[in-house]
């Protein structure tokens, strides 16, 4: 299995680093950032396969971050995390070009599955 | 009954039940009815009464006047009739000497002349101071008869003139006597005595042709003995059945009552220098016959008008108070609905806020616990109680999952969803929803019956949200019924709405619970129920522009009705 390079973006620091550590334990190369601005900066410096992105963040919102990253670097797949219970928000993300969405709190196995699907397409 | 409903308000009957407002409407109704009745009936009744009494008064005067006039005229005629005859006798007695008229031949001539000039004389006699009839002309042989001991002779010798009562006498026909006296020098005197027939001349005077058949005119003497025969009060020389009226020098008209209590109008006059009293007796009933029939018509007209006016007043008051009451009820219902909607909206916002705030820490707990589990599960090193720790963490994760289910439902309850309109066949949609529950229905032997009219038109609404609404309600119905229960689903079409009713024959809901059934976190399910299903359903139906209502009886079942707009273009 090729090593996945994942950029994890969420404003909750605790969540980002804990989730990152869990993914690392599963053999994935993960970097976590806590703002959209940091994420945009980071993708200019390094190549990632997948961005896991919280939709609702202070500063630049999730969908805007997705658009800007895509401008910087093509080929990154996006998996959105939504805190809201409504599927509509996620559906909107899919219409904007995200690969999938997950509702928080997420199930780690679901996330793994979606990431694998994303890179195998 | 239907007619009564229109004039008596229907909330009148159920007085026993307690509904504070009804007494207000009853009071309003009473007030309206009495006020309008007062202002419309009082003038009518007063005017009619005043008119009635005025008219009666005028009529009475009108009735009395001709009687008074008749009495006066008749009195005058009678008086002049008698006066004439007294004057005639006086003329003879003063004109001729005693010797002149004592001569029988001359006396006959005098009587013939007198009879020719004045009608009514029957005979004539000359009586000297000793009471002997010295000369006599008439149908009987009375010459030489002595009157000395008779009352009339004393009377005429004392007063000079005498008019007798009517009597039958030897000749057996009614007549009366007039006598005059002439004094001679030396204290001697003589008397001229004439008999006057009452029947012809007097009758002529007192019985005018135009008398009403009910009016009686007759003469009595002062003791009440009839001097002429009357129509109703006795025959001649009998005692009159009425009382003798008191003396008056003028013509009088009185309203009297007979001993039997019948009222009559009496005109009377004492005839001067005679014992006669003229009596005119009239029956007011007969006189007022026309007036009475007018009065009868008037009274009936009044009663008819009052009844019609009262009916109109009752009907219009009932109509108006009913309108006011309906408007009040509508307003109260609207107010209640607005209040309820507001309450639901604020509960929704609160729930969403809380859920959102809790969801983030929940996600962190989820990851932290997940990491602990990962570490325990994925590291190769063994450590004490590793299996137990993994189990504990898994339990935490399961409960985090449960919490997140709740928070997401809460978020869904309040969140503004976009409504995607499409044409929906309600019957198909409900059958799709039912297909989710098909297995349970078969397993528990629950029968689901449809009552849907043919050619039922499609409606414009949101498919996903309607599915959720019906799934929720039908799910509840399944939970409520026993095995082999029954669920009925019917669709009715109204003007602008479509109503779907889902009834079950399950355990029902108590009245108390029914009040709170759409509130979030209200549940009657013993286990596993969060109490959000119906509140979410309520929110969705409102958003789709519809209404949801519920009726239930404990032990008999529950029926939910969802009313949806048939067509919606804007949200």
């Amino acid at each position: 299995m090729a090593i996945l390079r994942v950029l994890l973006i969420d404003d909750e620091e605790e969540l980002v680093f804990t989730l990152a550590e869990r993914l690392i334990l599963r053999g994935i190369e993960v970097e976590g950032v806590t703002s959209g601005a940091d994420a945009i900066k980071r993708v200019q410096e390094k190549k990632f396969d997948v961005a896991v992105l919280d939709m609702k963040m202070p500063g630049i919102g999730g969908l805007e971050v997705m658009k800007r990253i895509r401008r910087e670097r093509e080929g990154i797949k996006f998996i959105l995390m939504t805190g809201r219970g409504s599927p509509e928000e996620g559906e909107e993300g899919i219409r904007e070009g995200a690969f999938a969405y997950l509702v928080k709190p997420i199930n780690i196995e679901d996330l793994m599955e979606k990431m694998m699907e994303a890179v195998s397409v | 009954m239907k007619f009564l409903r229109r004039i008596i308000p229907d909330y009148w009957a159920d007085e026993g039940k307690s509904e504070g407002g009804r007494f207000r409407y009853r009071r309003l109704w009473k007030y309206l009815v009495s006020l309008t009745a007062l202002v419309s009936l009082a003038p009518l009744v007063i005017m009619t009464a005043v008119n009635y009494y005025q008219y009666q008064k005028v009529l009475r005067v009108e009735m009395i006047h001709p009687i008074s006039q008749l009495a006066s005229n008749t009195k005058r005629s009678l008086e002049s009739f008698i006066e004439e005859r007294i004057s005639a006798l006086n003329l003879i007695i003063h004109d001729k000497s005693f010797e002149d008229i004592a001569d029988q031949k001359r006396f006959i001539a005098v009587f013939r002349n007198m009879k020719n000039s004045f009608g009514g004389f029957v005979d004539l006699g000359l009586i000297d101071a000793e009471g002997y009839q010295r000369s006599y002309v008439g149908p009987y042989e009375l010459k030489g008869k002595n009157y000395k001991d008779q009352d009339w002779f004393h009377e005429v010798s004392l007063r000079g003139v005498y008019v007798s009562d009517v009597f039958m006498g030897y000749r057996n026909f009614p007549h009366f006597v007039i006598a005059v006296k002439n004094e001679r020098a030396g204290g001697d005197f003589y008397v001229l005595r004439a008999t006057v027939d009452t029947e012809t001349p007097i009758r002529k005077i007192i019985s005018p042709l135009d008398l009403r058949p009910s009016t009686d005119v007759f003469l009595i003497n002062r003791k009440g003995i009839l001097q002429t025969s009357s129509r109703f009060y006795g025959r001649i020389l009998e005692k009159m059945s009425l009382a003798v009226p008191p003396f008056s020098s003028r013509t009088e008209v009185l309203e009297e009552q007979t001993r039997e209590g019948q009222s009559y109008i009496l005109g009377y006059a004492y005839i001067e220098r005679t014992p006669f009293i003229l009596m005119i007796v009239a029956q007011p009933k007969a006189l007022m016959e026309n007036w009475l029939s007018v009065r009868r018509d008037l009274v009936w007209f009044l009663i008819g008008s009052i009844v019609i006016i009262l009916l109109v007043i009752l009907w219009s008051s009932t109509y108006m108070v009913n309108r006011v009451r309906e408007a009040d009820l509508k307003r109260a219902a609207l107010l209640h609905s607005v209040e309820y909607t507001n309450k639901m909206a604020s509960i929704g916002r609160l729930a969403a806020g809380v859920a959102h705030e809790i969801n983030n820490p929940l996600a962190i707990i989820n990851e932290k616990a997940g990491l602990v589990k990962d570490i325990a599960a994925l590291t190769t090193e063994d450590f004490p109680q590793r299996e137990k720790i993994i189990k504990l963490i898994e339990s935490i994760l399961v409960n985090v999952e449960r919490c997140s289910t709740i928070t997401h439902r809460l978020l869904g309850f309040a969140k503004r969803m976009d409504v995607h309109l499409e044409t929906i066949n309600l019957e198909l949609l409900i059958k799709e929803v039912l297909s989710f529950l098909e297995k349970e229905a078969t397993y528990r032997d629950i029968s689901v019956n449809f009552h849907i009219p043919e050619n039922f038109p499609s409606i414009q609404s949101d498919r996903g949200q309607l599915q959720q609404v019906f799934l929720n309600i039908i799910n509840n119905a399944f939970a409520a019924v026993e095995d082999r229960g029954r669920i009925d689903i019917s669709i009715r079409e109204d003007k602008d709405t479509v109503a779907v009713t889902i009834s079950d024959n399950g355990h029902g809901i108590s009245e108390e619970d029914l009040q709170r059934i759409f509130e979030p976190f209200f549940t009657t399910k013993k286990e596993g129920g969060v109490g959000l299903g119906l509140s979410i359903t309520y929110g969705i139906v409102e958003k789709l522009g519809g209404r949801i209502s519920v009726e239930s009886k404990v032990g008999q079942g529950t029926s939910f009705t969802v009313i949806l707009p048939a067509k919606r273009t804007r949200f």
Side-chain angles (χ1 to χ4, degrees):
Chain A
M1 183 172 65
I3 288 184
L4 267 174
R5 286 158 301 181
V6 173
L7 181 61
L8 194 57
I9 311 141
D10 195 313
D11 58 310
E12 284 278 356
E13 204 175 308
E14 293 250 40
L15 188 93
V16 171
F17 296 118
T18 315
L19 189 57
E21 209 175 320
R22 294 187 74 188
L23 290 174
I24 290 163
L25 278 175
R26 285 167 173 76
I28 289 166
E29 191 183 322
V30 183
E31 259 187 54
V33 291
T34 54
S35 75
D38 287 350
I40 293 159
K41 213 193 289 167
R42 199 72 195 105
V43 289
Q44 290 167 348
E45 296 159 6
K46 193 178 166 186
K47 196 170 186 280
F48 292 98
D49 302 306
V50 175
V52 177
L53 179 60
D54 187 20
M55 287 190 77
K56 200 170 157 69
M57 285 186 293
I60 312 162
L63 290 180
E64 182 59 27
V65 173
M66 179 167 82
K67 271 186 215 157
R68 292 213 201 161
I69 291 175
R70 200 178 281 141
R71 240 182 278 146
E72 295 298 328
R73 212 174 272 278
E74 282 179 34
I76 294 186
K77 307 283 189 206
F78 290 90
I79 292 174
L80 298 173
M81 294 188 292
T82 159
R84 297 249 162 201
S86 62
E88 279 81 5
E89 225 175 29
E91 295 292 344
E92 194 192 344
I94 303 259
R95 279 200 295 281
E96 293 291 327
F99 175 75
Y101 72 90
L102 293 166
V103 177
K104 277 196 199 175
I106 56 168
N107 183 318
I108 190 93
E109 306 309 332
D110 289 346
L111 177 61
M112 289 293 291
E113 204 175 298
K114 291 290 177 201
M115 287 193 300
M116 293 308 166
E117 275 176 34
V119 291
S120 65
V121 171
Chain B
M1 276 322 278
K2 206 175 164 195
F3 171 71
L4 264 185
R5 279 268 161 275
R6 303 196 127 192
I7 59 165
I8 306 274
D10 42 5
Y11 43 85
W12 197 264
D14 35 52
E15 196 179 337
K17 293 184 219 155
S18 63
E19 181 204 309
R22 186 176 39 250
F23 296 104
R24 202 158 67 82
Y25 300 114
R26 269 184 57 175
R27 215 166 44 230
L28 181 65
W29 187 84
K30 273 187 193 165
Y31 180 73
L32 253 175
V33 167
S34 37
L35 194 73
T36 36
L38 192 75
V39 296
S40 56
L41 293 183
L44 182 70
V45 170
I46 290 171
M47 263 171 61
T48 313
V50 166
N51 188 18
Y52 180 91
Y53 285 110
Q54 288 285 1
Y55 195 57
Q56 206 174 31
K57 225 164 100 184
V58 169
L59 214 86
R60 199 157 284 279
V61 170
E62 290 286 295
M63 197 169 62
I64 285 170
H65 182 69
I67 290 174
S68 162
Q69 203 142 43
L70 178 64
S72 295
N73 290 342
T74 313
K75 176 191 187 218
R76 221 170 299 132
S77 305
L78 277 172
E79 277 172 359
S80 63
F81 175 83
I82 289 165
E83 199 58 44
E84 255 173 29
R85 268 122 202 102
I86 293 172
S87 302
L89 292 179
N90 270 330
L91 182 70
I92 294 164
I93 203 166
H94 290 112
D95 189 46
K96 315 266 181 212
S97 66
F98 177 76
E99 287 69 28
D100 266 354
I101 43 179
D103 178 74
Q104 183 71 17
K105 266 188 191 161
R106 292 237 185 137
F107 196 63
I108 291 171
V110 167
F111 177 62
R112 198 186 304 122
N113 287 340
M114 189 178 78
K115 210 178 168 184
N116 286 342
S117 306
F118 304 95
F121 284 112
V122 178
D123 62 4
L124 185 65
L126 177 67
I127 297 126
D128 64 17
E130 297 306 310
Y132 280 106
Q133 181 134 289
R134 299 283 292 271
S135 300
Y136 174 77
V137 195
Y140 299 95
E141 192 45 66
L142 295 172
K143 198 173 168 183
K145 188 170 161 55
N146 193 310
Y147 293 111
K148 192 171 175 63
D149 295 331
Q150 292 200 0
D151 288 344
W152 71 265
F153 187 73
H154 291 291
E155 181 111 15
V156 76
S157 58
L158 272 172
R159 300 194 182 186
V161 180
Y162 168 76
V163 179
S164 78
D165 286 352
V166 172
F167 61 98
M168 299 307 268
Y170 301 118
R171 285 154 282 189
N172 204 27
F173 69 86
H175 57 275
F176 66 97
V177 164
I178 300 175
V180 295
K181 178 183 95 166
N182 193 22
E183 309 256 356
R184 297 170 79 184
D188 193 15
F189 71 91
Y190 58 97
V191 169
L192 201 57
R193 176 185 186 273
T195 305
V196 181
D197 173 18
T198 58
E199 212 45 21
T200 340
I202 301 280
R203 202 97 321 270
K204 246 184 220 165
I205 292 169
I206 67 172
S207 301
L209 290 171
D210 57 348
L211 267 190
R212 282 165 184 276
S214 62
T215 305
D216 205 351
V217 183
F218 53 90
L219 293 177
I220 55 169
N221 69 10
R222 299 187 182 199
K223 290 180 191 120
I225 307 295
L226 283 156
Q227 305 293 293
T228 61
S229 54
S230 76
R231 276 181 185 153
F232 306 111
Y233 305 98
R235 299 229 306 270
I236 188 159
L237 295 185
E238 285 175 355
K239 178 95 177 145
M240 177 187 64
S241 60
L242 304 172
V244 177
F247 176 78
S248 166
S249 58
R250 291 176 23 207
T251 306
E252 298 285 343
V253 180
L254 303 174
E255 287 191 60
E256 296 278 330
Q257 285 206 324
T258 61
R259 273 173 231 123
E260 291 81 41
Q262 262 197 317
S263 69
Y264 61 92
I265 293 178
L266 169 67
Y268 73 93
Y270 276 70
I271 310 297
E272 260 175 64
R273 299 169 77 180
T274 72
F276 303 141
I277 306 168
L278 170 69
M279 301 278 283
I280 299 176
V281 182
Q283 304 291 334
K285 253 193 194 159
L287 290 176
M288 291 169 75
E289 203 155 13
N290 286 338
W291 152 240
L292 285 175
S293 89
V294 167
R295 186 180 69 172
R296 230 181 355 258
D297 292 350
L298 196 73
V299 167
W300 277 116
F301 178 76
L302 183 69
I303 290 172
S305 311
I306 287 174
V307 167
I308 289 169
I309 289 170
L310 276 180
L311 281 179
V312 169
I313 286 172
L314 287 173
W315 175 82
S316 58
S317 300
T318 302
Y319 181 82
M320 272 163 67
V321 174
N322 275 346
R323 285 290 157 286
V324 169
R325 186 166 170 263
E326 272 166 30
D328 281 359
L329 287 179
K330 252 185 212 161
R331 204 186 49 192
L334 197 72
L335 220 66
H336 181 261
S337 142
V338 166
E339 215 173 281
Y340 197 73
T341 309
N342 281 345
K343 180 178 158 192
M344 296 298 275
S346 15
I347 290 173
R349 276 194 297 277
L350 177 73
V354 170
H356 192 242
E357 288 311 310
I358 285 174
N359 204 44
N360 277 337
L362 210 56
I364 294 167
I365 293 170
N366 187 52
E367 297 317 324
K368 296 280 181 196
L371 180 56
V372 174
K373 187 191 161 196
D374 287 352
I375 291 167
L378 299 178
T379 47
T380 45
E381 297 167 46
D382 208 12
F383 55 90
Q385 298 201 321
R386 175 178 169 157
E387 289 305 312
K388 187 168 186 188
I389 285 170
I390 290 173
K391 278 228 171 74
L392 287 172
I393 297 295
E394 269 168 357
S395 170
I396 291 174
L397 289 174
V398 165
N399 283 290
V400 166
E401 174 94 35
R402 273 177 68 182
C403 284
S404 86
T405 310
I406 293 169
T407 54
H408 287 134
R409 278 208 195 153
L410 276 179
L411 286 164
F413 166 66
K415 150 196 84 188
R416 282 206 63 80
M417 289 175 289
D418 292 330
V419 174
H420 303 291
L421 282 186
E422 52 189 306
T423 305
I424 292 165
N425 181 329
L426 260 184
E427 183 181 0
L428 276 184
L429 183 131
I430 293 171
K431 284 187 170 157
E432 267 167 35
V433 168
L434 267 173
S435 66
F436 293 118
L437 297 159
E438 217 162 52
K439 256 195 189 143
E440 189 181 348
T442 320
Y443 177 68
R444 291 176 55 200
D445 199 10
I446 292 169
S447 65
V448 180
N449 307 286
F450 281 94
H451 310 277
I452 296 170
E454 274 184 44
N455 300 324
F456 188 78
S458 301
I459 65 163
Q460 294 278 314
S461 203
D462 185 296
R463 171 176 297 277
Q465 301 197 18
L466 274 189
Q467 276 176 338
Q468 198 181 343
V469 165
F470 292 119
L471 186 63
N472 260 333
I473 297 173
I474 297 171
N475 225 348
N476 281 345
F478 267 75
V481 296
E482 304 282 325
D483 290 354
R484 285 196 294 284
R486 178 190 168 97
I487 292 169
D488 289 279
I489 300 173
S490 61
I491 305 183
R492 275 191 327 279
E493 194 193 1
D494 243 330
K495 217 170 88 192
D496 305 314
T497 57
V498 168
V500 181
T501 302
I502 295 157
S503 315
D504 64 60
N505 64 350
H507 48 61
I509 305 163
S510 74
E511 211 163 298
E512 208 177 305
D513 289 346
L514 219 50
Q515 306 275 329
R516 306 183 52 202
I517 198 165
F518 294 115
E519 288 177 17
F521 298 114
F522 179 78
T523 180
T524 55
K525 288 178 187 162
K526 296 266 168 1
E527 48 192 60
V530 183
L532 285 174
L534 278 178
S535 61
I536 290 170
T537 304
Y538 182 91
I540 295 175
V541 174
E542 289 261 300
K543 203 170 298 155
L544 293 176
R547 273 170 296 139
I548 182 165
S549 62
V550 58
E551 277 172 46
S552 188
K553 272 212 173 114
V554 173
Q556 291 184 22
T558 305
S559 80
F560 279 90
T561 301
V562 177
I563 296 171
L564 295 165
K567 262 189 188 161
R568 283 210 81 185
T569 47
R570 271 154 42 86
F571 285 92

